[in-house]
Amino acid sequence: SRKEFPVLHLYISEIFREFHEKKVLYQRAVHGLLVALLAEINQITIGGGISGQSGRDSADAYEYICAALTYIYEHYREPVSIGDLSAHCCISESHFRRLFKKIISVSPLEYIQHYRIQQACHLIYLNQEPLNLIARKVGYRSLSSFNRQFQQYLNISPTQYRREHLAMPLRNEV
């Protein structure tokens, strides 16, 4: 149940959402979510939750991170700070950073940047708007920082990405 295993519920919900929406790179997203889901199942069945924490503390940690992820998915277009996320979860910034890194395996800011780039890939793939508008829509204040982050995560510029994906024929995938 969602109440008993909130992180498992989150991963499964995200997997179904990715399959339903079929955005650009959705297969990679599903693969990553499946790996995370399997790791989480393994941790629950063998480790009993987050190492060094009791079952209730572990469940609380997962609830905090689920709340933070939901907040990120709803507010990634806006400036999001660690303070915003920790306040939303009602825990200190330092505790939030530790929990997020332990459960998600990347820092909160890295996760936000990655999610923004993923959303930008989808908008670029649709090819309906200029890159500077897409950058603003996914939460970047300047085109240069968007280009830099995009290049860092995908090793290709947004312009090159657009060119390559326009050249690809559309196909139906299951």
Side-chain angles (χ1 to χ4, degrees):
S1 71
R2 181 180 190 167
K3 189 172 186 176
E4 191 174 10
F5 297 104
V7 175
L8 292 180
H9 183 273
L10 176 70
Y11 286 141
I12 292 169
S13 298
E14 286 300 305
I15 288 168
F16 280 108
R17 185 184 62 76
E18 289 289 342
F19 267 121
H20 177 71
E21 293 178 1
K22 287 188 171 62
K23 293 180 180 178
V24 174
L25 302 175
Y26 81 94
Q27 291 146 324
R28 286 187 189 172
V30 168
H31 181 266
L33 288 165
L34 283 172
V35 170
L37 176 67
L38 293 174
E40 183 62 29
I41 290 170
N42 186 45
Q43 190 172 12
I44 289 170
T45 57
I46 295 172
I50 299 174
S51 60
Q53 291 186 330
S54 69
R56 182 67 234 157
D57 291 343
S58 178
D60 288 344
Y62 288 132
E63 287 178 26
Y64 295 142
I65 300 309
C66 279
L69 291 174
T70 301
Y71 185 89
I72 289 168
Y73 298 149
E74 293 172 354
H75 299 275
Y76 71 93
R77 294 171 190 92
E78 307 160 12
V80 177
S81 70
I82 302 301
D84 295 335
L85 293 169
S86 63
H88 182 73
C89 298
C90 301
I91 57 176
S92 72
E93 285 187 40
S94 58
H95 186 56
F96 173 77
R97 285 178 200 270
R98 276 191 307 274
L99 286 177
F100 198 96
K101 179 79 172 179
K102 188 175 272 190
I103 293 172
I104 305 297
S105 300
V106 296
S107 74
L109 291 179
E110 285 177 275
Y111 188 87
I112 292 167
Q113 295 300 336
H114 180 76
Y115 189 73
R116 284 176 173 162
I117 296 300
Q118 181 184 13
Q119 297 305 309
C121 286
H122 177 66
L123 293 174
I124 290 169
Y125 184 75
L126 295 176
N127 193 34
Q128 296 177 349
E129 299 165 325
L131 290 175
N132 62 344
L133 185 58
I134 289 173
R136 276 190 240 113
K137 278 189 168 187
V138 298
Y140 288 93
R141 292 183 181 169
S142 73
L143 184 58
S144 63
S145 62
F146 171 69
N147 286 333
R148 191 172 41 256
Q149 289 291 322
F150 199 97
Q151 180 78 37
Q152 179 184 340
Y153 281 99
L154 297 176
N155 296 320
I156 189 172
S157 73
T159 305
Q160 291 169 315
Y161 182 87
R162 176 175 268 166
R163 251 186 261 126
E164 285 183 15
H165 284 84
L166 285 177
M168 292 173 57
L170 292 176
R171 60 180 184 216
N172 292 328
E173 296 181 17
V174 177

